[in-house]
Amino acid sequence: MTIALRMSVSIVAFGLAVAGLYWFFARDLTGTVLLGVFGLGFLCVFAYLVASRKKTRLDGDEQRLPSELAGERIGVFSIESPWPVLLALASASFLIGVVLHPMLGAFAFVALLAVLWGLARESR
Amino acid sequence: MIEWLVSTNHKRIGILYMVTSLSFFALAGFLADVIRLQLSRPQLNLIGPHSFNQAFTLHGTAMIFLFIAPFGFGLANYLIPIHVGAPDMAFPRLNAFSYWLFLLGGLTVFSGALTAGGAASAGWTAYAPLSDVQVAAGSGQDLWIIGLAMTSISGILTAINFLVTPIVYRAPGMSMWRMPVFVWDMIATAIMVLMAFPSLTVVLFMLLLDRHAGAKFFVIQGGGDPILYQHLFWFFGHPEVYVMILPMFGVVTEVVGVFSRKPVFGYTGLVLSAFGIAGLSMGVWAHHMFTTGAVDDPFFSAMSFAIAVPTGIKFFNWIGTMWRGAISYETAMLFVIGFMLNFLIGGITGIYVASPPIDFHAEDSYFLISHFHYTLGGGSMFAIFAALYFWFPKIWGRKLDERMGRAHFVLMFLGFNLTFFPMLFLGFMGMPRRIYTYPALPGWGELNLLSSCGALLITLGTALFVWNLIVSSRKREALPDDPWGGGYTLEWATSSPPPEFNFDFLPPIRSKRPAFDLHYPQYAKDSPE
Ligand SMILES: [Cu+2]
């Protein structure tokens, strides 16, 4: 079992244990559900990790010392994109508009759709 | 200019986060000075009660949501990929988006000050009914809610990167158990963010629905319950305390190791205690609600006491690291020692208020103010300065001036304790928080004046720091990869500042201390994990 799996299992177990303990002492439904949900949420993470275990062989988990792997040139990552800042601007104006200024909200909604479209195109 | 706007590089985003959060710190610090000036003498009326409410609301909001937590996020953004030997974060564009959302959120909060009714004034906790539409009718409160919802969502998105990058993007040889403790602390922080921040997002939207859509979540007359607000808020709010401190525990661990010239003592204990803290922090939220009479006091008290155990383990391990080490007192190390002393007071007063009988007396008094400023100001803020002195050479390629740094530390340490130690006594004398003036009761005027003088020292210290930044960043010097000597973690194995993708060549990673092994091969030892 990888460390990531072990981590998720312990979090799930801890969440459910505290939820049980809390129910035992406080008999309060809201808090028990809150605590239970954070345990169960990580159960989903855990399930996902198990399901995708075969596909993910991680370099870092290599047990022997792969010194021959070191010193390699590292690949290229994308370094810039205009969409994150535009998406932030559009969603901020949308939120503010919806609450305080419907016209701004409507305008921002269109902008938001345009930005999402641009982002999706870039991601292809 | 444009390249900063569109950059998705984690180092640039990290720097943006740190610079932005320090700017919000300056603003929040200015507001603190306004508050301390107003409270320096009894019966003063420099600013009226409404302005005072806005001042402490924005002060608290900015320090917590816009300075301490995001500074940790910025530092982690800069360091995590380098620490695990990755070229960037797992999701660079998501990372950029979360920064911009955070910046706009912060500006939205402050933009409330420009509205007719002024900025939000319901305190940083914005308890219903103080924040409902009958009491806080102005749109300043709305902007506060929207702005914080944005920073909250931004925090969730950034946590995804902090979690995925170290799990998926580690370099060959960088097994989980070889990662720096800082990275482990950030993983625990990210888990807390993912569990706790949605609760804040939800409660803020519920508040908006109450205010604008006639929902009655928190209105008793409509069958709602203001206590529900407190539950949801603190289910986020307590873990948030650890979101602000765990990254700083990571900073302290890295700095202590390098300046004690010893490997970090008790690596496994430091890692496991981070998860112990993260786990327990999810189950203590109602210790903020002891006096409501609506929660199970013994349960939450016991859970809160239990957090002292993993925190104590961390303290023990730092002292174990320093023990018989060849300690050198660079400014970063001084701030770390200051952190330990201050945080100790914060922790011990925390044990006081975790006990319901004492809390019933101390609740909403200056004792509480002193307690959490010792953890967040004396703790997190001191660690933030340690981080700045420690990593500035890596980030900017210049060292900050050590003489000015030491003076900065002395001013901060004296100023901080002068400000907040008297508050412990004011609290026990019964001075309540969030009052804009007070009667001339015996001792109150003197203690408050001391406290205000302390705030002046802190301000002077901060000004000196800014001066140091300006002067030192203009210095011309070429720094080696490892300017402090004996650095362990991978950032000290690449140039200062690092190249675009962090490493031109990645050194072999055969232990927890790859940079040390590279620079001092005669002492290098392969470790099994
Ligand atoms: Cu708490």
Side-chain angles (χ1 to χ4, degrees):
Chain A
M1 203 156 59
T2 68
I3 292 162
L5 285 179
R6 236 179 293 165
M7 235 162 66
S8 318
V9 175
S10 6
I11 295 167
V12 173
F14 182 85
L16 296 182
V18 177
L21 207 63
Y22 180 64
W23 175 253
F24 179 76
F25 281 106
R27 305 277 155 174
D28 167 46
L29 194 61
T30 324
T32 310
V33 169
L34 271 173
L35 286 167
V37 160
F38 95 67
L40 289 175
F42 270 84
L43 194 61
C44 302
V45 177
F46 173 65
Y48 176 78
L49 282 172
V50 172
S52 62
R53 189 169 43 169
K54 289 237 164 53
K55 281 177 281 176
T56 47
R57 281 215 43 81
L58 305 176
D59 286 341
D61 288 335
E62 204 68 56
Q63 276 305 310
R64 65 198 167 79
L65 300 169
S67 48
E68 69 275 10
L69 286 172
E72 261 181 20
R73 284 219 169 268
I74 289 160
V76 179
F77 268 53
S78 83
I79 49 167
E80 45 187 50
S81 163
W83 300 111
V85 61
L86 293 176
L87 184 62
L89 277 168
S91 37
S93 337
F94 177 65
L95 264 177
I96 296 172
V98 164
V99 179
L100 295 175
H101 204 297
M103 272 305 288
L104 174 68
F107 180 76
F109 183 69
V110 178
L112 196 58
L113 289 180
V115 170
L116 286 173
W117 183 72
L119 187 69
R121 261 176 59 105
E122 191 191 62
S123 307
R124 259 192 309 163
Chain B
M1 180 56 190
I2 290 286
E3 66 250 36
W4 285 89
L5 277 176
V6 298
S7 177
T8 56
N9 183 285
H10 74 98
K11 291 190 291 299
R12 286 205 162 172
I13 295 170
I15 292 170
L16 284 172
Y17 255 113
M18 288 187 269
V19 170
T20 309
S21 63
L22 286 171
S23 316
F24 281 123
F25 169 61
L27 243 129
F30 168 74
L31 289 168
D33 285 337
V34 171
I35 294 170
R36 278 322 316 168
L37 198 63
Q38 164 64 28
L39 290 174
S40 57
R41 306 299 308 141
Q43 313 280 9
L44 268 188
N45 196 11
L46 300 171
I47 58 170
H50 186 55
S51 307
F52 188 82
N53 288 351
Q54 293 176 49
F56 72 67
T57 299
L58 289 183
H59 163 77
T61 307
M63 285 293 192
I64 286 170
F65 294 100
L66 309 176
F67 167 50
I68 296 177
F71 185 91
F73 293 168
L75 189 67
N77 248 310
Y78 197 95
L79 288 178
I80 286 178
I82 305 183
H83 269 168
V84 302
D88 204 321
M89 280 287 183
F91 309 111
R93 288 182 302 172
L94 184 73
N95 200 18
F97 175 60
S98 54
Y99 164 73
W100 292 108
L101 203 58
F102 151 69
L103 172 69
L104 293 172
L107 294 177
T108 306
V109 167
F110 271 92
S111 70
L114 306 173
T115 63
S121 54
W124 78 275
T125 50
Y127 274 7
L130 287 178
S131 55
D132 76 16
V133 77
Q134 278 86 32
V135 184
S139 46
Q141 190 67 47
D142 289 314
L143 289 167
W144 184 92
I145 296 170
I146 298 166
L148 279 199
M150 281 154 65
T151 59
S152 167
I153 294 167
S154 136
I156 295 168
L157 298 179
T158 219
I160 295 173
N161 262 319
F162 294 165
L163 201 54
V164 174
T165 307
I167 290 178
V168 177
Y169 276 74
R170 279 168 291 124
M174 178 58 78
S175 62
M176 292 288 270
W177 288 108
R178 281 178 183 164
M179 292 193 309
V181 175
F182 178 80
V183 177
W184 277 111
D185 282 333
M186 283 317 299
I187 290 179
T189 306
I191 292 174
M192 274 191 294
V193 169
L194 289 179
M195 292 190 291
F197 276 38
S199 181
L200 173 70
T201 317
V202 163
V203 80
L204 291 171
F205 280 111
M206 287 165 87
L207 206 51
L208 276 181
L209 289 173
D210 262 17
R211 289 171 63 85
H212 293 283
K216 300 253 183 319
F217 290 117
F218 311 125
V219 183
I220 292 177
Q221 293 85 344
D225 186 0
I227 297 292
L228 176 64
Y229 180 92
Q230 297 192 21
H231 272 297
L232 290 171
F233 184 85
W234 288 115
F235 192 79
F236 145 80
H238 188 85
E240 166 76 352
V241 174
Y242 287 92
V243 168
M244 289 187 276
I245 201 73
L246 262 187
M248 299 309 140
F249 283 177
V251 167
V252 170
T253 309
E254 302 305 329
V255 174
V256 154
V258 169
F259 291 123
S260 300
R261 308 279 178 242
K262 267 176 65 188
V264 167
F265 174 81
Y267 176 92
T268 316
L270 283 163
V271 172
L272 293 182
S273 59
F275 288 96
I277 290 171
L280 286 170
S281 81
M282 299 304 300
V284 299
W285 75 92
H287 64 204
H288 299 266
M289 303 162 61
F290 282 156
T291 53
T292 58
V295 298
D296 193 55
D297 288 4
F299 175 84
F300 287 104
S301 177
M303 291 292 279
S304 309
F305 285 138
I307 291 196
V309 177
T311 314
I313 291 174
K314 289 214 175 256
F315 254 84
F316 179 77
N317 284 337
W318 295 328
I319 295 168
T321 306
M322 290 164 73
W323 188 257
R324 299 204 168 158
I327 301 175
S328 60
Y329 295 94
E330 270 87 353
T331 309
M333 187 64 173
L334 291 178
F335 270 103
V336 159
I337 292 169
F339 164 94
M340 290 190 208
L341 297 172
N342 291 334
F343 194 79
L344 195 62
I345 299 183
I348 288 172
T349 49
I351 292 176
Y352 281 54
V353 290
S355 159
I358 298 176
D359 186 65
F360 270 71
H361 184 66
E363 169 89 359
D364 279 342
S365 78
Y366 263 79
F367 186 86
L368 196 79
I369 305 291
S370 176
H371 153 66
F372 72 72
H373 279 89
Y374 265 104
T375 60
L376 298 178
S380 300
M381 182 182 69
F382 271 63
I384 284 174
F385 281 120
L388 282 165
Y389 282 94
F390 190 58
W391 278 294
F392 189 80
K394 180 53 65 184
I395 295 172
W396 200 253
R398 313 272 186 277
K399 269 189 183 179
L400 288 171
D401 186 79
E402 281 288 316
R403 276 229 333 248
M404 274 195 266
R406 274 193 288 272
H408 172 209
F409 169 74
V410 171
L411 281 170
M412 287 304 264
F413 190 74
L414 291 180
F416 184 84
N417 282 288
L418 189 59
T419 310
F420 294 102
F421 205 70
M423 286 186 189
L424 290 171
F425 300 96
L426 278 169
F428 264 124
M429 291 172 178
M431 179 165 166
R433 71 192 294 196
R434 295 177 173 173
I435 50 167
Y436 91 107
T437 193
Y438 52 90
L441 291 166
W444 284 36
E446 291 79 355
L447 288 170
N448 271 301
L449 186 62
L450 277 181
S451 184
S452 297
C453 294
L456 184 68
L457 288 186
I458 296 178
T459 312
L460 288 176
T462 312
L464 184 63
F465 173 72
V466 173
W467 180 241
N468 193 350
L469 273 183
I470 295 169
V471 172
S472 302
S473 59
R474 289 173 171 189
K475 269 192 296 197
R476 290 186 165 275
E477 61 181 327
L479 282 184
D481 291 359
D482 181 16
W484 301 115
Y488 302 142
T489 42
L490 275 176
E491 75 270 35
W492 310 116
T494 184
S495 57
S496 323
E500 180 89 52
F501 293 115
N502 298 337
F503 301 94
D504 289 330
F505 289 96
L506 199 64
I509 299 160
R510 294 156 170 266
S511 75
K512 294 183 176 74
R513 305 192 289 161
F516 186 84
D517 296 344
L518 178 72
H519 297 133
Y520 307 89
Q522 65 273 31
Y523 301 115
K525 258 189 284 180
D526 288 2
S527 75
E529 274 186 292

